[in-house]
Amino acid sequence: MCRLLLVSFAVTAYIILVTRAHRILPVPISTRYITTSISTLSQGEEKTFIASLCGGHQLLYDTVNATVLLNNNPSWLPQKGVVYYYIVDDPNKTAKDALCNNTDETGETGPYCVVPKWNSTEDLYIKARAGEVDAISFSIYVVIGYNATNKEEDNVKDTNARQNHVVQLKPSYSRFHLNADIEYLTEIITMDTNQRLGYLDEALLEITFCPNPFTTLDYKITSTVFGTDGISSYAQYICEKLPCEVDNPNVVKFNGKQLPNNEVVLTTSSGQYQHIYVLIVCWAGQYDPSVGNYVGEFQYSASLKHKSP
């Protein structure tokens, strides 16, 4: 059976595709941090949003793209209320230390803030302040991914460290992190592009998550593979160690149903499953005469959230 191996990390910048010919091809993936509820600030109110990176050296030189969506003011008209924000890598840093902000030279605000190359092993902090209009509602979307403009040596030199990195959770319970004006963003891992997989071929994903003081050790991981072509279906199997194969004792949970949208939920109260392997098996697709097989096209996402009561 021809196997396709995809190795990914929640805090790294690419997937490694290893084909039968042993060619290694970089394919961009992203770690995303989002708000899962609408934030509303009164005039002049401040709030800090945190993306937990767990000291990830693998993120060095990656691009950070932050977007704030004003729900009632998509054109960012000042009279309707705007949000001023900037990004730092330390909660005690101020606007003068900003790695980027959403204000241009003329003082006009907008939704975007971009750090071309993240150069820190600390967490990412978004410090937001509402303008002088009451009840400004917004959501936040941050993407950290492979910077295609980097020099090749920048991308390759840390390959071993990236592939061997396993996060050890050390939540901070400082007074800052327990402040009511703090919100931790939800971590989501996605592929930047759709992937193709032949009938009964397999894809193996290796993923590292970063729990935080909000999720604590009591969290759930939702792992989802879904077809993007309207005709393919998949099964998935999750392991904590290799080998990760169908009907292998290393499988801790699976969904063997051949579904267009296949989901597995892992729950823990002990910080388990920070580092997992996800085996994806393709069960259907469009016939491709160029390869003489049925080929499915899929996407993958995984999220880490606090386990609801």
Side-chain angles (χ1 to χ4, degrees):
M1 179 187 299
C2 176
R3 289 197 172 195
L4 176 65
L5 175 65
L6 292 82
V7 180
S8 70
F9 286 82
V11 288
T12 60
Y14 56 86
I15 302 171
I16 298 295
L17 295 181
V18 183
T19 67
R20 179 185 293 178
H22 304 293
R23 293 180 297 124
I24 299 178
L25 307 173
V27 176
I29 87 165
S30 298
T31 301
R32 302 166 193 263
Y33 294 87
I34 64 171
T35 49
T36 55
S37 60
I38 301 299
S39 294
T40 302
L41 300 180
S42 59
Q43 51 186 320
E45 186 179 359
E46 298 180 351
K47 189 169 185 177
T48 299
F49 300 85
I50 306 174
S52 295
L53 308 183
C54 289
H57 294 273
Q58 313 78 260
L59 286 177
L60 292 177
Y61 310 118
D62 282 357
T63 299
V64 175
N65 289 275
T67 304
V68 168
L69 172 64
L70 298 181
N71 299 321
N72 302 315
N73 186 13
S75 299
W76 283 74
L77 300 174
Q79 61 269 32
K80 287 188 175 182
V82 296
V83 172
Y84 301 87
Y85 76 95
Y86 60 90
I87 291 178
V88 289
D89 64 346
D90 186 295
N92 298 312
K93 289 184 176 180
T94 62
K96 67 180 178 63
D97 306 303
L99 299 173
C100 72
N101 61 62
N102 71 323
T103 307
D104 65 17
E105 297 80 359
T106 67
E108 184 176 349
T109 58
Y112 307 113
C113 182
V114 178
V115 182
K117 289 189 178 183
W118 182 256
N119 193 23
S120 175
T121 58
E122 304 300 322
D123 288 344
L124 184 152
Y125 299 83
I126 298 177
K127 293 195 171 186
R129 176 179 61 84
E132 299 308 316
V133 175
D134 203 21
I136 302 174
S137 297
F138 62 94
S139 57
I140 293 178
Y141 185 82
V142 180
V143 181
I144 305 178
Y146 171 67
N147 186 349
T149 62
N150 289 347
K151 295 181 180 179
E152 183 177 356
E153 56 268 25
D154 289 337
N155 300 326
V156 174
K157 63 183 179 181
D158 292 327
T159 298
N160 291 333
R162 296 180 185 209
Q163 293 181 354
N164 292 319
H165 178 73
V166 179
V167 172
Q168 298 298 323
L169 174 62
K170 295 181 180 180
S172 170
Y173 292 100
S174 68
R175 295 185 62 185
F176 173 81
H177 286 148
L178 296 178
N179 193 305
D181 296 330
I182 301 299
E183 180 177 336
Y184 279 88
L185 300 174
T186 297
E187 179 184 10
I188 298 176
I189 296 93
T190 64
M191 297 176 180
D192 279 359
T193 58
N194 298 344
Q195 300 297 317
R196 285 165 54 85
L197 199 58
Y199 173 65
L200 291 184
D201 281 352
E202 301 173 354
L204 182 65
L205 286 70
E206 181 177 5
I207 299 174
T208 300
F209 287 96
C210 181
N212 58 53
F214 173 72
T215 62
T216 65
L217 300 177
D218 190 21
Y219 56 83
K220 68 177 180 180
I221 293 172
T222 303
S223 173
T224 307
V225 55
F226 53 95
T228 58
D229 52 10
I231 197 170
S232 56
S233 61
Y234 305 87
Q236 66 167 315
Y237 306 79
I238 298 180
C239 308
E240 284 192 280
K241 61 181 180 180
L242 296 176
C244 187
E245 300 171 341
V246 178
D247 291 341
N248 188 286
N250 291 335
V251 175
V252 295
K253 197 163 185 180
F254 68 95
N255 185 343
K257 297 178 180 178
Q258 305 92 334
L259 297 170
N261 189 88
N262 188 292
E263 180 179 281
V264 173
V265 178
L266 299 169
T267 59
T268 178
S269 299
S270 61
Q272 196 177 7
Y273 308 127
Q274 292 180 46
H275 192 77
I276 60 173
Y277 298 89
V278 181
L279 180 69
I280 298 170
V281 182
C282 177
W283 275 91
Q286 183 72 40
Y287 185 75
D288 186 343
S290 66
V291 297
N293 195 8
Y294 292 90
V295 178
E297 187 175 279
F298 72 97
Q299 259 288 354
Y300 176 83
S301 69
S303 63
L304 184 149
K305 299 179 180 178
H306 186 266
K307 187 170 62 177
S308 301

